[in-house]
Amino acid sequence: MKLKVLQKDGKETGRSVTLDTTVFGIEPNDHSIWLDVRRIQAAARQGTHKAKERSEVAGSTRKLYRQKGTGHARSGDIKSPLRRSGGTIFGPRPRDYSFKVNRKTSQLARRSALSYKATAGAIQVIENLQMDAPDTRALVDMLNALGLAGTKVLLLTGDVNLNVYRSGRNVPKLQVINADAASTLDVLNAQVLLLCEGALDGIGRVLGGGEPAAKPARKPASKKAAKATTEAAE
Protein backbone atom coordinates (compact mmCIF):
# COMPACT_ATOMS: atom_id res chain seq x y z
CA MET A 1 0.00 0.00 0.00
CA LYS A 2 1.35 3.41 -1.03
CA LEU A 3 0.56 6.61 0.82
CA LYS A 4 1.38 10.17 -0.15
CA VAL A 5 3.57 12.17 2.20
CA LEU A 6 1.88 15.40 3.25
CA GLN A 7 3.27 18.67 4.50
CA LYS A 8 2.19 20.28 7.74
CA ASP A 9 -0.13 22.56 5.80
CA GLY A 10 -1.91 19.59 4.21
CA LYS A 11 -0.30 19.94 0.78
CA GLU A 12 1.44 17.06 -0.95
CA THR A 13 5.23 16.89 -0.92
CA GLY A 14 5.40 14.88 -4.15
CA ARG A 15 6.85 11.89 -2.30
CA SER A 16 5.16 8.64 -1.32
CA VAL A 17 5.97 5.77 1.01
CA THR A 18 5.13 2.08 0.75
CA LEU A 19 3.77 0.44 3.88
CA ASP A 20 5.36 -2.87 4.80
CA THR A 21 2.80 -5.59 4.07
CA THR A 22 4.22 -7.76 6.87
CA VAL A 23 3.21 -5.04 9.34
CA PHE A 24 0.27 -3.21 7.75
CA GLY A 25 -1.14 -5.90 5.48
CA ILE A 26 -1.53 -9.09 7.48
CA GLU A 27 -4.69 -11.01 8.32
CA PRO A 28 -5.60 -9.56 11.76
CA ASN A 29 -5.62 -11.95 14.69
CA ASP A 30 -8.40 -10.86 17.03
CA HIS A 31 -7.44 -13.22 19.84
CA SER A 32 -3.91 -11.84 20.07
CA ILE A 33 -5.36 -8.32 20.17
CA TRP A 34 -7.64 -9.34 23.03
CA LEU A 35 -4.75 -10.88 24.96
CA ASP A 36 -2.47 -7.86 24.55
CA VAL A 37 -5.16 -5.29 25.39
CA ARG A 38 -6.11 -7.31 28.45
CA ARG A 39 -2.44 -7.39 29.50
CA ILE A 40 -2.09 -3.62 29.11
CA GLN A 41 -5.26 -2.85 31.04
CA ALA A 42 -4.39 -5.32 33.79
CA ALA A 43 -0.94 -3.80 34.24
CA ALA A 44 -2.53 -0.36 34.60
CA ARG A 45 -4.61 -1.44 37.60
CA GLN A 46 -3.29 -0.14 40.93
CA GLY A 47 -4.41 -3.17 42.89
CA THR A 48 -4.44 -1.18 46.17
CA HIS A 49 -7.93 -2.28 47.26
CA LYS A 50 -8.19 -3.58 50.82
CA ALA A 51 -11.03 -4.55 53.16
CA LYS A 52 -10.53 -5.26 56.86
CA GLU A 53 -11.02 -8.84 57.88
CA ARG A 54 -12.09 -10.20 61.24
CA SER A 55 -8.67 -9.93 62.86
CA GLU A 56 -8.20 -6.35 61.67
CA VAL A 57 -11.48 -4.76 62.82
CA ALA A 58 -11.34 -2.75 66.05
CA GLY A 59 -13.47 -4.28 68.81
CA SER A 60 -13.52 -6.56 71.80
CA THR A 61 -12.94 -10.29 71.56
CA ARG A 62 -15.50 -10.98 74.33
CA LYS A 63 -18.25 -13.44 73.45
CA LEU A 64 -21.43 -11.35 73.46
CA TYR A 65 -23.72 -13.96 75.07
CA ARG A 66 -23.65 -17.60 76.02
CA GLN A 67 -23.65 -20.29 73.39
CA LYS A 68 -26.96 -21.95 74.28
CA GLY A 69 -30.31 -21.14 75.77
CA THR A 70 -30.91 -17.65 74.34
CA GLY A 71 -32.86 -18.62 71.27
CA HIS A 72 -30.48 -16.63 69.10
CA ALA A 73 -27.95 -17.88 66.63
CA ARG A 74 -24.56 -18.87 67.97
CA SER A 75 -22.41 -15.78 67.89
CA GLY A 76 -18.86 -14.93 68.75
CA ASP A 77 -17.41 -11.47 69.33
CA ILE A 78 -18.57 -8.16 67.91
CA LYS A 79 -16.03 -8.45 65.07
CA SER A 80 -17.86 -11.42 63.55
CA PRO A 81 -18.49 -11.04 59.81
CA LEU A 82 -22.15 -11.80 60.51
CA ARG A 83 -22.57 -8.57 62.42
CA ARG A 84 -22.85 -4.99 61.28
CA SER A 85 -19.42 -3.32 61.34
CA GLY A 86 -17.81 -6.73 61.52
CA GLY A 87 -14.96 -7.94 59.37
CA THR A 88 -15.30 -8.88 55.70
CA ILE A 89 -15.13 -12.51 54.68
CA PHE A 90 -12.53 -13.09 51.95
CA GLY A 91 -12.27 -9.35 51.29
CA PRO A 92 -10.04 -7.88 48.58
CA ARG A 93 -6.33 -7.63 49.33
CA PRO A 94 -3.59 -5.65 47.58
CA ARG A 95 -2.32 -7.60 44.61
CA ASP A 96 -0.57 -7.26 41.28
CA TYR A 97 -2.90 -7.86 38.33
CA SER A 98 -0.21 -7.85 35.64
CA PHE A 99 0.57 -10.97 33.67
CA LYS A 100 2.91 -11.91 30.86
CA VAL A 101 2.11 -12.29 27.18
CA ASN A 102 4.65 -13.78 24.79
CA ARG A 103 6.63 -11.22 22.83
CA LYS A 104 5.58 -12.67 19.47
CA THR A 105 1.93 -12.57 20.51
CA SER A 106 2.26 -8.92 21.50
CA GLN A 107 3.94 -8.11 18.18
CA LEU A 108 1.21 -9.95 16.27
CA ALA A 109 -1.40 -7.93 18.16
CA ARG A 110 0.23 -4.63 17.16
CA ARG A 111 0.57 -5.75 13.55
CA SER A 112 -3.10 -6.75 13.56
CA ALA A 113 -4.17 -3.38 14.96
CA LEU A 114 -2.09 -1.52 12.37
CA SER A 115 -3.51 -3.71 9.61
CA TYR A 116 -7.04 -2.87 10.71
CA LYS A 117 -6.22 0.85 10.50
CA ALA A 118 -4.60 0.45 7.08
CA THR A 119 -7.60 -1.47 5.74
CA ALA A 120 -9.93 1.23 7.04
CA GLY A 121 -7.86 3.98 5.39
CA ALA A 122 -7.19 5.57 8.76
CA ILE A 123 -3.45 6.20 8.25
CA GLN A 124 -1.83 9.41 7.04
CA VAL A 125 1.86 10.15 6.59
CA ILE A 126 3.43 13.58 7.09
CA GLU A 127 6.94 14.87 6.85
CA ASN A 128 9.09 14.75 9.98
CA LEU A 129 8.26 17.41 12.56
CA GLN A 130 11.02 19.66 13.84
CA MET A 131 10.35 22.08 16.68
CA ASP A 132 12.90 24.24 18.44
CA ALA A 133 10.42 25.07 21.19
CA PRO A 134 6.97 23.87 22.28
CA ASP A 135 4.26 25.33 20.04
CA THR A 136 0.73 24.07 20.67
CA ARG A 137 -0.77 26.45 18.10
CA ALA A 138 1.41 24.96 15.35
CA LEU A 139 0.09 21.45 16.03
CA VAL A 140 -3.51 22.67 16.18
CA ASP A 141 -3.08 24.46 12.83
CA MET A 142 -1.55 21.29 11.35
CA LEU A 143 -4.50 19.15 12.48
CA ASN A 144 -6.94 21.69 11.05
CA ALA A 145 -5.08 21.72 7.71
CA LEU A 146 -5.17 17.92 7.57
CA GLY A 147 -8.89 17.87 8.33
CA LEU A 148 -8.40 16.08 11.64
CA ALA A 149 -9.86 18.67 14.00
CA GLY A 150 -12.03 17.01 16.65
CA THR A 151 -10.74 13.54 15.72
CA LYS A 152 -8.90 11.20 18.05
CA VAL A 153 -5.42 11.25 16.53
CA LEU A 154 -2.36 9.22 17.45
CA LEU A 155 0.76 11.05 16.26
CA LEU A 156 3.72 8.68 15.97
CA THR A 157 7.15 10.29 15.75
CA GLY A 158 10.36 8.74 14.55
CA ASP A 159 12.64 10.13 17.25
CA VAL A 160 11.96 11.27 20.77
CA ASN A 161 11.24 15.00 20.45
CA LEU A 162 10.26 16.60 23.74
CA ASN A 163 9.15 19.81 22.04
CA VAL A 164 6.64 17.93 19.86
CA TYR A 165 5.41 15.98 22.87
CA ARG A 166 5.01 19.11 24.99
CA SER A 167 3.23 20.85 22.14
CA GLY A 168 0.65 18.09 21.83
CA ARG A 169 -0.06 17.13 25.43
CA ASN A 170 -2.52 20.02 25.85
CA VAL A 171 -4.40 19.38 22.57
CA PRO A 172 -7.70 17.56 23.10
CA LYS A 173 -7.97 14.11 21.47
CA LEU A 174 -4.31 14.15 20.40
CA GLN A 175 -1.74 11.68 21.70
CA VAL A 176 1.94 11.95 20.76
CA ILE A 177 4.05 8.82 21.19
CA ASN A 178 7.33 7.58 19.81
CA ALA A 179 6.65 4.98 17.12
CA ASP A 180 8.47 2.09 18.79
CA ALA A 181 6.65 2.72 22.10
CA ALA A 182 3.04 2.73 20.83
CA SER A 183 0.99 -0.17 22.19
CA THR A 184 -1.89 -2.11 20.71
CA LEU A 185 -4.34 -0.19 22.89
CA ASP A 186 -2.93 3.17 21.74
CA VAL A 187 -3.47 2.19 18.10
CA LEU A 188 -7.00 0.90 18.66
CA ASN A 189 -8.09 3.94 20.69
CA ALA A 190 -7.19 6.34 17.87
CA GLN A 191 -9.49 7.09 14.98
CA VAL A 192 -6.60 8.16 12.73
CA LEU A 193 -2.90 7.32 12.83
CA LEU A 194 -0.69 10.23 11.82
CA LEU A 195 2.77 8.88 11.02
CA CYS A 196 5.91 10.92 10.55
CA GLU A 197 8.15 9.55 7.82
CA GLY A 198 10.74 8.51 10.40
CA ALA A 199 8.10 6.62 12.36
CA LEU A 200 7.91 3.97 9.65
CA ASP A 201 11.54 3.07 10.34
CA GLY A 202 10.80 2.77 14.07
CA ILE A 203 7.77 0.56 13.45
CA GLY A 204 9.74 -1.59 11.04
CA ARG A 205 12.56 -1.90 13.56
CA VAL A 206 10.20 -3.21 16.24
CA LEU A 207 7.62 -5.09 14.18
CA GLY A 208 9.43 -5.66 10.88
CA GLY A 209 8.57 -8.90 9.20
CA GLY A 210 12.10 -9.68 8.11
CA GLU A 211 13.55 -13.07 8.83
CA PRO A 212 14.92 -13.27 12.40
CA ALA A 213 18.64 -13.50 12.78
CA ALA A 214 19.95 -17.02 13.13
CA LYS A 215 20.76 -18.01 16.69
CA PRO A 216 24.43 -18.77 17.34
CA ALA A 217 25.20 -22.44 17.86
CA ARG A 218 25.51 -23.45 21.50
CA LYS A 219 28.94 -24.31 22.76
CA PRO A 220 29.37 -27.94 23.83
CA ALA A 221 29.15 -28.43 27.55
CA SER A 222 32.44 -30.34 27.71
CA LYS A 223 35.30 -31.62 25.60
CA LYS A 224 33.69 -35.07 25.60
CA ALA A 225 30.45 -33.61 24.21
CA ALA A 226 32.40 -31.67 21.57
CA LYS A 227 34.19 -34.83 20.51
CA ALA A 228 30.91 -36.74 20.26
CA THR A 229 29.39 -33.92 18.16
CA THR A 230 32.37 -33.96 15.79
CA GLU A 231 32.22 -37.76 15.39
CA ALA A 232 28.49 -37.61 14.70
CA ALA A 233 29.03 -34.98 12.02
CA GLU A 234 31.68 -37.15 10.35
Side-chain angles (χ1 to χ4, degrees):
M1 176 185 293
K2 283 190 175 182
L3 293 178
K4 296 178 181 179
V5 180
L6 305 176
Q7 299 177 2
K8 291 187 292 185
D9 57 3
K11 298 179 181 179
E12 297 181 5
T13 60
R15 302 191 306 275
S16 63
V17 294
T18 302
L19 299 182
D20 188 352
T21 55
T22 61
V23 177
F24 295 91
I26 69 169
E27 181 68 27
N29 188 306
D30 292 339
H31 184 64
S32 65
I33 292 177
W34 177 79
L35 284 174
D36 201 37
V37 170
R38 181 166 164 262
R39 173 191 65 83
I40 296 168
Q41 292 178 334
R45 297 185 66 174
Q46 288 185 332
T48 54
H49 40 39
K50 178 68 174 74
K52 290 185 178 180
E53 298 186 357
R54 184 169 187 162
S55 62
E56 299 169 322
V57 175
S60 173
T61 59
R62 178 181 68 86
K63 187 175 177 64
L64 296 179
Y65 47 80
R66 66 179 185 270
Q67 181 82 348
K68 294 179 179 296
T70 64
H72 298 296
R74 294 171 291 184
S75 177
D77 56 31
I78 199 171
K79 298 187 293 182
S80 170
L82 303 179
R83 292 189 171 275
R84 185 171 179 268
S85 301
T88 302
I89 303 176
F90 302 129
R93 293 185 174 185
R95 54 163 292 192
D96 181 12
Y97 282 92
S98 62
F99 61 91
K100 180 181 178 296
V101 169
N102 291 336
R103 180 178 58 86
K104 289 185 178 180
T105 302
S106 180
Q107 288 182 338
L108 177 59
R110 277 180 284 176
R111 290 194 191 103
S112 300
L114 291 171
S115 297
Y116 269 129
K117 294 299 181 183
T119 303
I123 298 179
Q124 295 186 22
V125 181
I126 61 172
E127 57 187 0
N128 291 326
L129 298 178
Q130 298 295 334
M131 288 187 175
D132 298 328
D135 191 349
T136 301
R137 173 54 60 184
L139 277 187
V140 172
D141 292 341
M142 180 187 72
L143 293 177
N144 291 334
L146 295 173
L148 300 177
T151 305
K152 292 178 68 175
V153 178
L154 176 62
L155 175 59
L156 299 182
T157 61
D159 299 320
V160 177
N161 191 322
L162 291 179
N163 290 327
V164 176
Y165 168 75
R166 289 168 180 165
S167 301
R169 63 184 175 183
N170 202 31
V171 179
K173 298 186 178 182
L174 173 65
Q175 187 177 16
V176 182
I177 305 179
N178 199 35
D180 54 8
S183 68
T184 305
L185 187 59
D186 294 328
V187 174
L188 293 177
N189 276 338
Q191 291 176 294
V192 175
L193 299 185
L194 193 57
L195 308 180
C196 296
E197 283 187 274
L200 295 173
D201 295 333
I203 294 173
R205 186 167 55 251
V206 177
L207 304 176
E211 292 295 330
K215 294 183 178 180
R218 292 186 178 181
K219 294 182 179 179
S222 61
K223 292 183 179 179
K224 184 181 294 186
K227 184 177 180 181
T229 304
T230 303
E231 293 176 353
E234 294 176 351

